[in-house]
Amino acid sequence: MSVNSKLDNTSLFILYSQLASLCDPRVTGSNCVEKQVMASSKPSQAIKPECDKHGQDLILYCPCHLMPCCDECISTSHSKCTGIKSLAGVVDKTKIENSKESVETNINSILNLLGTLINNKSIKRGENQCVSIKQSIKVIRQEINKHLDHLEKKLCQETDTIWNHEKSKATDFISEIEGEKEKLKEIKKQLQTVTSQASKLQSFLGVHQIEQQVHQCQRYVEDLDDDERTKEVDIKMKQNDEIEKILSKLESLESLGEVIVIKTEVAMNIEISVGTEPQVPLQEQSNINSMTMNIETEIEINVDED
């Protein structure tokens, strides 16, 4: 059974007027309107054509606020409103079905707006944004690690190159020294046999010859004193001075970034068809400032006839 079949025209008019007042800015803050709307929030219940605030019958209608009123409402809350009319007369002139359609259109418009607000407050979108932020942090770490890995690889390659060069020089030097040692060992063997010669002259010449060879070896050893190859080699790394500065800055770095909330205004576009115009056209009220008074006085004149 529809709402219309349960309520008479007056009750329906009161209901739609109250619903219309919810969307009309002119009724904001009206206590009597708010109480009546709250009391009739369930259309299936019987709507009493009486004021919930004052307990009097609703017999008047305020077109400024689009609300049925009682005598007390008019005197307390609508004293400055113009165009107050009889509720019964307004009901007769009002097309209830048109009012119903307008209210339903408004309800759908408000529902669409509320749905839009819910979509804009999507929790899933916020979760995705949090995941994106965390992924961005990982990308920053990866870029830093990638550059550090490159610097590490470059330094390791330089270390290997330098060490291989020094190792090659050390190996050649050791081989050279080993050759001199073998030469001295051979000279030493010759020295043991030179004295076994038959004549003293031959022994002298043999010792002299060996002495010359030893002198050459001695001069070789003396020359090694100025040879760079005899110096001890240590492979060390001289740290870049900028590293300490960078490490100091990293230690003082409190955060990789700041997570902020950006609020964007949502266009609150809603078309209100109910309440933008009064259901009954306003009529210009009489104003005492525009009133004129015509005073007519009859003067009886007696004329005596001669």
Side-chain angles (χ1 to χ4, degrees):
M1 183 179 294
S2 65
V3 175
N4 290 10
S5 62
K6 289 185 177 182
L7 306 175
D8 57 25
N9 285 344
T10 301
S11 297
L12 283 173
F13 179 80
I14 294 173
L15 171 62
Y16 293 135
S17 296
Q18 292 170 346
L19 291 175
S21 66
L22 288 174
C23 305
D24 195 289
R26 292 173 292 183
V27 300
T28 304
S30 178
N31 293 332
C32 63
V33 169
E34 181 179 356
K35 288 188 176 181
Q36 291 176 20
V37 172
M38 293 299 294
S40 60
S41 59
K42 296 182 179 180
S44 60
Q45 298 178 353
I47 298 178
K48 297 180 181 180
E50 64 180 29
C51 178
D52 292 317
K53 183 177 181 181
H54 304 112
Q56 299 180 11
D57 290 339
L58 298 172
I59 58 175
L60 300 173
Y61 179 77
C62 175
C64 295
H65 292 91
L66 306 176
M67 283 302 299
C69 306
C70 67
D71 286 332
E72 188 68 21
C73 288
I74 296 298
S75 61
T76 57
S77 302
H78 302 269
S79 59
K80 296 183 179 180
C81 298
T82 59
I84 303 299
K85 295 181 175 298
S86 168
L87 179 60
V90 173
V91 171
D92 290 338
K93 296 179 182 180
T94 300
K95 295 181 179 180
I96 301 299
E97 284 300 323
N98 292 344
S99 298
K100 177 184 175 182
E101 291 177 1
S102 297
V103 171
E104 186 174 0
T105 300
N106 267 4
I107 291 174
N108 292 334
S109 180
I110 295 173
L111 287 174
N112 290 334
L113 176 61
L114 295 178
T116 301
L117 292 175
I118 291 175
N119 292 333
N120 289 337
K121 291 293 183 181
S122 174
I123 295 178
K124 184 63 177 178
R125 183 179 63 180
E127 291 177 347
N128 292 337
Q129 290 173 343
C130 288
V131 172
S132 178
I133 291 174
K134 294 177 181 179
Q135 186 63 33
S136 298
I137 297 174
K138 289 183 179 180
V139 171
I140 294 174
R141 287 289 303 274
Q142 289 173 354
E143 290 298 323
I144 294 175
N145 292 339
K146 181 180 178 181
H147 186 62
L148 291 177
D149 290 342
H150 171 71
L151 294 178
E152 179 183 0
K153 182 179 179 180
K154 180 181 178 181
L155 184 58
C156 289
Q157 289 176 345
E158 291 177 358
T159 302
D160 291 338
T161 300
I162 292 174
W163 168 239
N164 289 334
H165 179 67
E166 294 297 326
K167 181 180 179 180
S168 177
K169 291 194 298 182
T171 301
D172 293 342
F173 184 51
I174 291 173
S175 297
E176 182 180 311
I177 293 175
E178 290 290 345
E180 292 296 325
K181 286 177 63 178
E182 293 298 326
K183 185 187 296 186
L184 282 172
K185 289 179 180 180
E186 186 64 27
I187 292 174
K188 186 177 180 180
K189 289 180 181 180
Q190 293 176 3
L191 182 62
Q192 298 298 328
T193 60
V194 73
T195 56
S196 61
Q197 298 294 332
S199 66
K200 187 176 180 180
L201 177 61
Q202 289 178 332
S203 297
F204 174 80
L205 293 175
V207 171
H208 179 72
Q209 186 178 8
I210 292 174
E211 187 178 11
Q212 293 296 321
Q213 293 176 351
V214 172
H215 180 70
Q216 290 179 355
C217 291
Q218 184 177 1
R219 188 168 56 186
Y220 169 78
V221 172
E222 290 175 353
D223 291 340
L224 289 178
D225 188 47
D226 296 328
D227 196 325
E228 292 289 332
R229 296 176 298 174
T230 60
K231 295 181 179 180
E232 186 176 355
V233 175
D234 290 324
I235 305 297
K236 295 183 178 181
M237 182 189 73
K238 181 182 178 182
Q239 183 173 288
N240 190 334
D241 294 337
E242 295 296 323
I243 295 295
E244 291 295 335
K245 296 179 182 179
I246 294 174
L247 291 176
S248 177
K249 289 181 179 180
L250 285 175
E251 291 175 356
S252 63
L253 191 64
E254 297 181 355
S255 173
L256 292 177
E258 180 183 2
V259 179
I260 60 176
V261 176
I262 300 176
K263 296 183 179 181
T264 304
E265 292 187 4
V266 178
M268 302 286 286
N269 295 326
I270 178 171
E271 296 182 359
I272 301 298
S273 60
V274 177
T276 55
E277 294 294 337
Q279 292 174 325
V280 178
L282 290 174
Q283 295 183 358
E284 184 177 354
Q285 300 298 303
S286 299
N287 191 312
I288 193 170
N289 294 326
S290 62
M291 293 177 63
T292 59
M293 181 180 294
N294 296 325
I295 302 176
E296 296 181 0
T297 304
E298 293 184 1
I299 301 176
E300 183 177 352
I301 300 176
N302 296 323
V303 179
D304 294 334
E305 295 181 357
D306 293 336

